[in-house]
Each structure stands twice: as structure tokens, then as C-alpha cells.
Amino acid sequence: MIGEWDKQRFIGLIEKLSKAKGPSLSEQPRRKVLEEFFSDNGLSSVTDSAGNLLVQMGSGTWDQTVVFDAHMDVVQQGYTDTIVYENGIMKGLGVGDNLTAVSMLALLAVSIDNQLINKAIRPLIILFTVGEEGHGNLKGVKQIVDDHEVGPYLFLSFDLSFEEYSIRGLGSTRYKLEVICPGGHSWEDYGIPSAIDVMMEFFSKLTEKFKTVANHHPKTVSFNIGNVEGGEGINSIARSATACFEFRSVLLEPLDQLDREVTALCKKMNERQNVKLICDTLGHRPAASPVKPERIEPMVLDILSGVGEQSQPVIRSTNINATLDAGWASLCMGLCRSGRFHTHDEYVVLDSLEKGWVVLSMLVEKLLLDQHN
């Protein structure tokens, strides 16, 4: 039905994937590794208009399909030169977020035999999505949603660690602010607007607006300025400055309110002479509530408990933001013990991988073969 855990095969695949470049929206080299892996194992795959890779297992209607998803992209440069193995862990950028899940699903696809597919009560699509990280803005999973008028039976996204799972989506809105001023000499032109000063004032005022919103929605919203650039030199009045910032919330209302505050503040400050503020929205992830959690949550917790893992519900920003927002029954969970995500010290506990394979195998059995689920 499904083969036994093959650690060496897993290591061989994740090594290839980790070295293939795959930052958000530039996942082609990593997708090629997967395409060749499937072709070498006699399995066909297709790529959609967004760049997602799909493997269809069995046939049937979309509304009865189970989708197993893992995002291919990795943060920062999108790859690691070398995975380090020490003290029972493997360490490297992207190994836990999200190449362990990608490798597991790829191995699952080539391990499911025809006997299981013939007995399955539901078809399975194994999906490798693009654009989950950063400015990818959930491009891949949003394309899957746009391509279907109704949801599948279940959308199960694999990401991060055993310790936590998500049935709710943490919303966010991300912006890029550009401030443009005339610039000049720090002494001779002293007194004309500086783009850096204007930007500092903008964020000071926006912080006060944020505090008001946060007081009305305690512990449900956050604000972060991610990077700031600008200026020409210590003796020059800055002509330009840019910054990227974001708001996050478990609720839609404060995100909408803060978006209005950003627009109003830019409009007000643009009334000044020799000052121009341009604020563009870089991306939006919807805050999303659970959809039919009873379809999957008890099953996942029972399976994890069976392998000795206790998982806690958390609110995250992941692929299921888009599917939950579309009304699809969805859950996000891990297939290993891992941590230090988005750093070069990111790690996966090697002994946890076999448990992940058991969990994945049990999910296939329950969702594809058990009439009661």
C-alpha cells in the first residue's frame, strides 16, 4: 500500500532540493528537481499557470478530493549550500520550512501503489505550491483557489513542526512607503524637508494610530517596520527614503481600520510643499476563521498522539489563509520536530522523521480508505 520509511532516500532528495535555488516566485530550479524525481519513478506531474506542481492520484470530483500541500519556496536566498548533520539534527536554511514536507510528499507520491488508489474512496492531489513566503503573497495557493468554484473535501497543508497546528489564518497587510523631497546641502539648505525626517514623522504618527486600534482590539494585532533605506550622506539633506512595514491581526476589522489610517495619513502629509509620500500595498493575507474543523482536527490530534506527539493549536500565516478565506475545510500541520525557522540555524530532529512518515501514512489511510471520515 505505502512503503516503509526510507531515511536514505529522504536524505538524498532533501539534499538535492536544498541546493536547488527556490526563493519565493523563483522556484523553477527546485520544481525541476521534483519533476525529474517523479519522471525517474514513472510518475507524471503537471505545472499550472502559477508555477505550482501537481500530482494526481486517482480520479473523482474536485469536491471529494483530498489535497496534500507543501510550499516549495524558502526564505532569503532560497537555498543552502550544505546541510549540516550533528547531534541528531540536520541544520540548514529551509530544511524545516519547508523542504522536509516537500520531500515527504514527493516520497509519498511515488510510494502509493495502484492497489491503494483502486480502493480509495476519494482522489488525492499532492500539491507543491509557489510563493508562500514573504512577498510571494500566497501566489500559488491563491491560484488553486481561483481555479475552483468550490472547495475540495479537505485541504491539508504541511509546514513547520509537530508541536503546533493551525485551523485559523493570521491576516496581514504589507506596505512599501516611499518619501521624496528636494534634498540639498546640510548647511546651506538647512530647513527644507528631509525625506528621512518626514518618514520618521510618518511612523511616529502611525504608531500613535496603531496604539489606538490595538487598545480597541487587545492582543489581536501587531505592527512591524521591516526595513528602512534612504539618504545620500551625512552632509546631505535626504532626497528620498523607503521603508517596508506590515500589520498583522487575527481579525479583519483592525486591518481594514489601519489601512484607512495609512491612506489618510499619507493624504494629509502630502498637502505639504516639497513633500511626496507614495504608499503601495505589497501584499494581503486574509484573516480567516476555521472551516469544518471537525472534519480533520480530531483525526490529526489522535494520529499525533498515537506517535507520542502533543500538538497545540496556534494562529499562523500560511497557505491555509487563502483556502480558509475561500470557505475550504483546511488545516496546517508539521511532519517533524523542527525549529529556528527563517535562519541558517534552522533544524529538523532526525529521529522525528519516521514519526512524520507514520503520520502521513495514517492520514492517507483514514482519508482515502475509511468510509467514516
Side-chain angles (χ1 to χ4, degrees):
M1 302 283 275
I2 299 176
E4 296 294 323
W5 171 240
D6 189 335
K7 180 179 177 180
Q8 292 308 120
R9 197 179 194 193
F10 170 87
I11 293 295
L13 180 56
I14 198 171
E15 288 271 3
K16 289 182 180 179
L17 289 170
S18 67
K19 295 175 184 177
K21 293 183 179 180
S24 293
L25 306 182
S26 296
E27 299 91 346
Q28 298 92 329
R30 185 161 293 139
R31 186 176 63 238
K32 184 178 179 180
V33 172
L34 289 170
E35 289 171 334
E36 291 176 351
F37 177 76
F38 294 135
S39 178
D40 290 345
N41 285 276
L43 200 61
S44 61
S45 60
V46 297
T47 302
D48 69 8
S49 59
N52 300 314
L53 187 66
L54 300 90
V55 177
Q56 173 81 44
M57 315 290 289
S59 60
T61 59
W62 171 253
D63 64 333
Q64 286 301 304
T65 297
V66 174
V67 181
F68 284 176
D69 160 70
H71 68 85
M72 292 184 287
D73 53 326
V74 167
V75 296
Q76 300 173 34
Q77 76 268 18
Y79 71 98
T80 186
D81 288 318
T82 305
I83 295 179
V84 176
Y85 301 90
E86 59 183 14
N87 301 321
I89 66 171
M90 62 176 178
K91 185 167 63 175
L93 185 68
V95 294
D97 185 14
N98 193 34
L99 297 182
T100 285
V102 170
S103 301
M104 288 271 198
L105 291 191
L107 291 175
L108 176 69
V110 300
S111 298
I112 293 179
D113 62 22
N114 290 331
Q115 183 182 358
L116 187 150
I117 294 301
N118 292 336
K119 289 183 177 181
I121 59 173
R122 300 183 186 97
L124 171 67
I125 287 180
I126 297 180
L127 172 65
F128 303 92
T129 40
V130 300
E132 192 274 342
E133 299 286 6
H135 296 312
N137 200 33
L138 306 185
K139 176 184 177 180
V141 73
K142 285 180 178 179
Q143 185 65 56
I144 297 296
V145 170
D146 289 345
D147 287 343
H148 298 89
E149 294 183 359
V150 298
Y153 179 79
L154 177 68
F155 187 93
L156 187 51
S157 189
F158 296 99
D159 203 350
L160 306 177
S161 184
F162 276 145
E163 289 94 332
E164 298 169 330
Y165 70 96
S166 301
I167 55 172
R168 182 186 293 272
L170 176 63
S172 66
T173 310
R174 293 170 172 175
Y175 304 86
K176 180 179 180 180
L177 175 69
E178 183 178 8
V179 181
I180 302 172
C181 294
H185 190 279
S186 61
W187 174 256
E188 295 176 358
D189 297 310
Y190 178 73
I192 69 173
S194 162
I196 291 175
D197 288 344
V198 172
M199 176 172 286
M200 290 170 65
E201 181 184 354
F202 172 88
F203 281 123
S204 178
K205 291 183 175 181
L206 186 60
T207 298
E208 292 304 310
K209 299 289 187 183
F210 169 77
K211 288 178 180 177
T212 300
V213 174
N215 287 338
H216 285 100
H217 302 277
K219 299 182 180 180
T220 64
V221 61
S222 69
F223 172 35
N224 183 61
I225 304 169
N227 56 35
V228 177
E229 297 178 350
E232 294 77 40
I234 195 170
N235 58 348
S236 298
I237 297 172
R239 292 181 298 170
S240 65
T242 60
C244 294
F245 64 100
E246 71 165 12
F247 300 107
R248 294 191 178 214
S249 180
V250 299
L251 303 172
L252 177 62
E253 181 184 349
L255 291 178
D256 287 345
Q257 185 176 347
L258 287 164
D259 186 70
R260 292 192 294 270
E261 296 288 2
V262 169
T263 300
L265 184 55
C266 283
K267 182 178 180 181
K268 182 67 175 178
M269 295 183 70
N270 270 326
E271 294 175 357
R272 301 179 184 179
Q273 188 175 5
N274 293 323
V275 171
K276 183 177 183 181
L277 286 80
I278 303 169
C279 195
D280 296 321
T281 302
L282 294 177
H284 174 70
R285 297 190 180 200
S289 299
V291 177
K292 299 178 181 178
E294 69 280 358
R295 182 171 288 182
I296 183 62
E297 187 178 18
M299 181 195 310
V300 164
L301 293 177
D302 184 60
I303 291 173
L304 287 171
S305 177
V307 296
E309 296 292 337
Q310 302 299 316
S311 192
Q312 301 298 318
V314 297
I315 302 172
R316 280 200 182 111
S317 177
T318 68
N319 268 346
I320 67 169
N321 281 54
T323 57
L324 288 172
D325 187 59
W328 294 10
S330 308
L331 183 143
C332 181
M333 64 178 294
L335 289 172
C336 62
R337 281 189 169 269
S338 51
R340 295 285 294 152
F341 306 113
H342 293 194
T343 75
H344 290 269
D345 294 323
E346 187 172 320
Y347 69 87
V348 171
V349 178
L350 291 169
D351 285 348
S352 71
L353 293 170
E354 187 169 4
K355 286 185 179 182
W357 185 252
V358 172
V359 167
L360 196 54
S361 301
M362 290 296 295
L363 286 167
V364 168
E365 181 178 334
K366 294 285 188 181
L367 291 168
L368 300 190
L369 300 177
D370 191 340
Q371 295 281 356
H372 300 292
N373 290 297

